[in-house]
Amino acid sequence: MKIALTTFLTLLFAGILFAQDEKIGLDITLTYTRSADGSVTLQAEVYDEEEYEPVTDLEFQFISVAGEEEEVLGAAYSDENAMVVLSGIPFEKILRDMSDNMVFRLVGENDIYSGFSELQIRHVELSVNFKIEDSVKIVSVDLTGKDEDGETVGVEDGEVYFFVPRLYGDLAIGDVWTDEDGYDQMRFPTDIPGDESGNLTVIARITESEDFGSLEVRVVKDWGLPTMTEALDERELWSPNAPLWMVITFAILITGVFVHYIWVIVNLYRVKKLGR
Amino acid sequence: MKNTREKIFEAILPSMRDKGIKFKLWNAFLIAIILWGLYALWIQVTVGHIVTGMRDHIVWGIYIVNFIFFIGLGYAGSVIAALLYFGNIKWRTPIVRVATVMMVISTIIGPIYIFMEIGRLDRIHHLFIYARLQSPIMWDVIAVITYLIGCIIFFYLRVIRDFSFLSNKEIFSGFRQKLYRWLSIGYCEKPEQNRLLKQSNDILGVLIVPIAILVSSILSWIFGMTLRPGWHSSIFGPYFVLAAIYSGIGVVVVLLYIYRSIYKLEAYITDTHFKYLGYAIIAFGAGYGYFTFSEYFTDWYTSKEWNARLIEKLFDPQQYGWATFFTTVGGILIPMIVIGIPQLRTTKSTVVVSLIMVIAMWVKRYLIIIPTLENTLVPMQDLDPVVSKYSATWVEWALVSASFAAFALVFTWIMRFVGIIPIYTSSELEEGARIYSNVQTSSS
């Protein structure tokens, strides 16, 4: 009996220990996005390494790392699409080294899964400039970052796409590739409708760069074609107020009908009065 | 004249005091269907419109079909009654009574099915808050409300004198007598009272016909003023008006026959009534058939892509071909042939073809709504049949069945209260005297 019990307990503990050692690893794809307002979004897609199934409802911690120093940025759970998102992180909260490199660590663990991922991003500044040369409208970008000594230098090989927001999405208008000075330019299209004053929002966007992550800058420029919207104070079928002829016809018809209804009701009242 | 009234009253009294087991079973049957409909409504309200067959593409189902059918009967009632009234047709009285009661009930039941259709009933007041006079939907709301008020007044004017007569009948309970007296507003046959009532009847009689035609046209414009194939048609206005009157006559024929058979009213609802109503069916059927032919033929001949697709859908036996066949043959040809050939025309055959025609007219409304909505304006591929095809669910059928049961129940009880033969008018008309002599002859 004792032997049987001892064997059982040994197997049980061995099983628990074995199970703890055999947690399923995670395949994590971490991305960095800095939006135009300067806030940062960290997003990860999480799958288990064995079956490559989406991992849902697992808590992750987002940590900013610089050398020995660590700063917990926040925590989030993976959703039904295996996405973990931490958005609205103030840029100032992120730790950077002298060269403006940033390291993000994502750590997630529970009884079944365990895994982490690190992402290194070089912080760069993107600026958009407009100029007119020989009546040609030019839009240019300056992509700058810091070198090992902390000096600001141009960043080469940055592919920047330009967009203009439209009703159903962003309209791509071209792209540039920065040179060794971090500069490139392109001719700006002259046929894009803007608002009443010709204002356009121009988006310069770097998308999922291995070095810089994703970032975008938005600038409003009056280089669009002014869109003249007709004031809807006219009375038309499509305006808020109906055409006058319609209102008058309607009023005459309804008044005509209800006057006769009232006439009949008055007659009924007189019938009642006569019956007293 | 008074004896005539008494005779008519005696004749219709069994229908006004029916307490037999058949009457009770009939009421229980109708109430059971209405309760089934209410249960379906509760399911629809608590679970949502997902319990219906309506989806993104087919947003209108048999609720709208039912709405058009009933509102058509409502319009038909007033037109039939007013035309007979102004034509001073001697044999009109039972027809006018059935038509006016049908008018009021249908005009109330029809619009209820708009509410069944709407997903967000909590926003119904937006219809008025954000009303735009340019919208045909807004015209319809205003027109239906205006028409309903007119219908109620028109009906009431036609029963005031009978209420006065019935208020003196001690055979009824005290409460019922008091109710008759209150509703008769003191009418006591004074010449001035008669003049005022006649003037009112004339005013409403003149007014209600153009209102009915206008309201029916407005309903058709809800469809006609869209660009959808099958709806965008300049003949939809008169087409709807004719269809409404046509199906309305069919319902009047069926209702008259039921009352005549159950309560042995052959002396008052004569074969002549059915013969003349049959003639009206031929006249309106011919007009309606002409419009139907014109509608399909022009769509088919132009061969515009959208229209051609719809025509193919309507005539393909794998899709709506059999329904189109039924509405055309059962709804137009058979009634016209059976009633048009003297050897085939009997009261019973007129009633049978009228019933078939009424069912066909309901199906016709289905064919106006559903195939058109299934015919998407934007080319779509690999659409799930669940969203691209419409099939009514039991919830919708329960609610539609409840509407017919409610119509029958309310009709039964209104007729029980006012009587199927207008006592005063019948006695006044020359026909009333003839009927009286018929009754005397038959009783002797």
Side-chain angles (χ1 to χ4, degrees):
Chain A
M1 184 64 189
K2 272 186 179 178
I3 295 167
L5 185 62
T6 311
T7 309
F8 172 74
L9 288 172
T10 308
L11 286 171
L12 179 68
F13 284 113
I16 292 168
L17 288 169
F18 181 76
Q20 282 177 341
D21 287 341
E22 287 299 312
K23 282 187 179 177
I24 300 169
L26 298 172
D27 184 302
I28 303 171
T29 310
L30 182 59
T31 58
Y32 164 94
T33 304
R34 185 153 60 95
S35 54
D37 65 3
S39 68
V40 169
T41 299
L42 293 170
Q43 181 173 307
E45 213 171 344
V46 190
Y47 290 87
D48 77 59
E49 280 183 338
E50 289 181 3
E51 304 287 335
Y52 210 71
E53 289 290 322
V55 174
T56 60
D57 206 29
L58 175 59
E59 187 181 15
F60 286 88
Q61 276 206 323
F62 291 85
I63 302 162
S64 175
V65 182
E68 298 296 315
E69 204 178 343
E70 290 187 359
E71 171 79 32
V72 176
L73 299 172
Y77 283 87
S78 55
D79 64 16
E80 66 271 19
N81 299 315
M83 302 295 290
V84 196
V85 182
L86 187 69
S87 56
I89 306 165
F91 184 68
E92 301 75 34
K93 202 175 173 184
I94 296 168
L95 303 175
R96 288 175 281 170
D97 65 13
M98 188 183 280
S99 306
D100 263 359
N101 288 318
M102 305 174 285
V103 175
F104 300 98
R105 187 181 298 151
L106 184 68
V107 182
E109 186 174 11
N110 63 5
D111 294 342
I112 304 164
Y113 300 108
S114 175
F116 77 99
S117 176
E118 276 195 353
L119 174 71
Q120 181 168 335
I121 294 291
R122 182 184 177 191
H123 172 63
V124 288
E125 289 290 347
L126 178 65
S127 64
V128 180
N129 303 297
F130 300 91
K131 61 184 176 184
I132 299 175
E133 286 180 356
D134 298 330
S135 303
V136 176
K137 291 176 176 172
I138 305 283
V139 59
S140 65
V141 292
D142 280 303
L143 190 64
T144 57
K146 287 185 178 171
D147 62 10
E148 291 81 2
D149 302 323
E151 295 293 323
T152 301
V153 293
V155 176
E156 195 178 0
D157 285 344
E159 190 176 16
V160 183
Y161 294 88
F162 287 101
F163 299 90
V164 175
R166 303 284 89 176
L167 186 61
Y168 293 111
D170 296 338
L171 172 70
I173 58 172
D175 66 296
V176 294
W177 196 282
T178 57
D179 59 15
E180 63 275 14
D181 296 324
Y183 178 85
D184 198 6
Q185 65 179 39
M186 61 167 252
R187 186 183 284 226
F188 194 86
T190 55
D191 56 351
I192 302 176
D195 64 10
E196 286 175 3
S197 310
N199 287 324
L200 289 174
T201 299
V202 180
I203 304 171
R205 186 181 289 156
I206 295 175
T207 307
E208 293 183 4
S209 159
E210 283 188 8
D211 296 328
F212 323 123
S214 300
L215 70 149
E216 72 171 38
V217 172
R218 289 174 182 248
V219 183
V220 175
K221 186 68 183 169
D222 58 351
W223 278 4
L225 296 174
T227 309
M228 299 305 292
T229 50
E230 286 180 27
L232 285 177
D233 54 352
E234 299 257 334
R235 289 177 170 272
E236 302 288 356
L237 279 180
W238 50 87
S239 63
N241 295 317
L244 267 182
W245 67 262
M246 190 178 272
V247 177
I248 292 167
T249 309
F250 171 80
I252 290 172
L253 281 174
I254 288 292
T255 310
V257 171
F258 275 90
V259 161
H260 284 89
Y261 285 176
I262 292 165
W263 185 354
V264 170
I265 290 165
V266 170
N267 274 357
L268 288 174
Y269 176 74
R270 289 169 67 190
V271 168
K272 186 175 183 178
K273 217 172 158 186
L274 286 165
R276 279 173 193 162
Chain B
M1 185 90 77
K2 280 186 178 170
N3 281 338
T4 310
R5 288 177 199 160
E6 293 298 336
K7 286 282 180 189
I8 295 171
F9 175 65
E10 279 171 27
I12 61 172
L13 189 59
S15 70
M16 299 179 79
R17 294 185 72 239
D18 195 345
K19 290 176 182 170
I21 187 72
K22 283 182 185 171
F23 181 78
K24 285 174 182 167
L25 282 174
W26 170 242
N27 281 283
F29 171 67
L30 296 176
I31 289 167
I33 295 174
I34 293 168
L35 289 175
W36 184 43
L38 288 174
Y39 172 68
L41 180 63
W42 181 72
I43 296 276
Q44 182 177 299
V45 170
T46 52
V47 180
H49 274 60
I50 194 71
V51 298
T52 70
M54 293 179 283
R55 292 293 182 271
D56 289 358
H57 293 286
I58 296 93
V59 292
W60 285 351
I62 56 173
Y63 296 154
I64 292 292
V65 172
N66 221 34
F67 163 65
I68 299 172
F69 179 79
F70 272 106
I71 214 84
L73 295 186
Y75 305 149
S78 63
V79 174
I80 295 166
L83 290 181
L84 292 175
Y85 173 71
F86 280 107
N88 202 21
I89 309 292
K90 307 292 182 198
W91 42 268
R92 69 174 189 254
T93 50
I95 298 174
V96 170
R97 176 57 51 88
V98 170
T100 48
V101 174
M102 176 182 80
M103 164 188 79
V104 174
I105 303 172
S106 302
T107 313
I108 293 169
I109 288 179
I112 290 172
Y113 281 77
I114 292 287
F115 298 118
M116 309 286 173
E117 175 76 35
I118 295 171
R120 293 295 303 266
L121 272 178
D122 55 314
R123 293 183 182 170
I124 193 76
H125 58 288
H126 287 198
L127 201 59
F128 301 97
I129 294 173
Y130 304 112
R132 292 185 76 243
L133 199 56
Q134 299 98 314
S135 165
I137 300 256
M138 199 60 225
W139 306 343
D140 202 37
V141 171
I142 296 165
V144 168
I145 292 170
T146 306
Y147 181 67
L148 180 60
I149 295 169
C151 284
I152 292 167
I153 300 173
F154 187 54
F155 169 68
Y156 181 56
L157 284 171
R158 311 203 65 77
V159 289
I160 287 176
R161 297 190 303 170
D162 286 356
F163 285 151
S164 166
F165 177 82
L166 295 167
S167 65
N168 298 319
K169 297 296 163 196
E170 289 177 358
I171 198 162
F172 296 127
S173 66
F175 171 75
R176 191 165 170 175
Q177 271 182 284
K178 275 183 189 169
L179 193 57
Y180 282 134
R181 195 164 297 125
W182 182 71
L183 287 167
S184 68
I185 55 169
Y187 174 78
C188 51
E189 290 192 76
K190 285 183 181 171
E192 181 61 8
Q193 284 180 322
N194 283 333
R195 189 190 69 78
L196 287 168
L197 282 181
K198 179 160 187 336
Q199 185 189 59
S200 302
N201 264 312
D202 289 350
I203 290 169
L204 254 294
V206 169
L207 204 60
I208 208 78
V209 175
I211 294 176
I213 291 173
L214 194 63
V215 175
S216 188
S217 303
I218 286 172
L219 179 63
S220 78
W221 292 337
I222 290 178
F223 301 95
M225 289 185 182
T226 66
L227 286 174
R228 278 187 173 273
W231 288 357
H232 184 61
S233 165
S234 58
I235 66 164
F236 247 38
Y239 193 31
F240 266 54
V241 173
L242 270 183
I245 300 171
Y246 187 48
S247 48
I249 296 170
V251 173
V252 169
V253 167
V254 174
L255 292 173
L256 277 175
Y257 185 76
I258 292 169
Y259 268 82
R260 180 175 107 146
S261 305
I262 295 174
Y263 297 109
K264 311 289 178 217
L265 293 168
E266 285 81 0
Y268 299 94
I269 304 170
T270 64
D271 287 342
T272 312
H273 288 105
F274 294 97
K275 188 170 84 176
Y276 290 157
L277 284 170
Y279 291 159
I281 286 175
I282 292 177
F284 282 98
Y288 175 71
Y290 165 69
F291 274 97
T292 304
F293 174 75
S294 177
E295 179 72 4
Y296 287 152
F297 193 55
T298 46
D299 267 355
W300 173 73
Y301 212 84
T302 52
S303 291
K304 277 163 66 183
E305 189 191 341
W306 284 347
N307 300 43
R309 260 194 284 148
L310 178 65
I311 289 292
E312 188 189 335
K313 193 181 268 287
L314 285 172
F315 285 86
D316 179 4
Q318 303 296 323
Q319 299 187 64
Y320 293 99
W322 285 109
T324 306
F325 179 80
F326 172 63
T327 56
T328 313
V329 175
I332 303 168
L333 291 178
I334 288 179
M336 288 181 67
I337 291 168
V338 170
I339 299 170
I341 299 172
Q343 288 79 5
L344 298 176
R345 185 178 58 233
T346 62
T347 297
K348 276 187 182 165
S349 68
T350 304
V351 174
V352 170
V353 294
S354 296
L355 185 61
I356 295 170
M357 179 261 276
V358 170
I359 297 167
M361 293 304 290
W362 191 93
V363 177
K364 173 64 184 175
R365 268 65 169 227
Y366 188 97
L367 291 177
I368 290 175
I369 309 284
I370 312 300
T372 296
L373 287 172
E374 287 181 354
N375 191 17
T376 55
L377 296 184
V378 180
M380 295 195 181
Q381 293 174 341
D382 303 326
L383 265 182
D384 186 347
V386 170
V387 293
S388 61
K389 293 283 291 178
Y390 174 76
S391 180
T393 62
W394 75 266
V395 171
E396 289 167 282
W397 285 119
L399 275 163
V400 166
S401 307
S403 70
F404 287 96
F407 178 90
L409 187 69
V410 178
F411 188 89
T412 304
W413 280 88
I414 290 184
M415 281 308 183
R416 187 183 169 87
F417 190 69
V418 300
I420 192 162
I421 312 289
I423 297 167
Y424 254 85
T425 319
S426 299
S427 65
E428 280 173 358
L429 291 172
E430 189 183 331
E431 180 65 6
R434 195 190 65 74
I435 289 168
Y436 177 49
S437 65
N438 281 350
V439 174
Q440 279 187 322
T441 310
S442 62
S443 58
S444 62

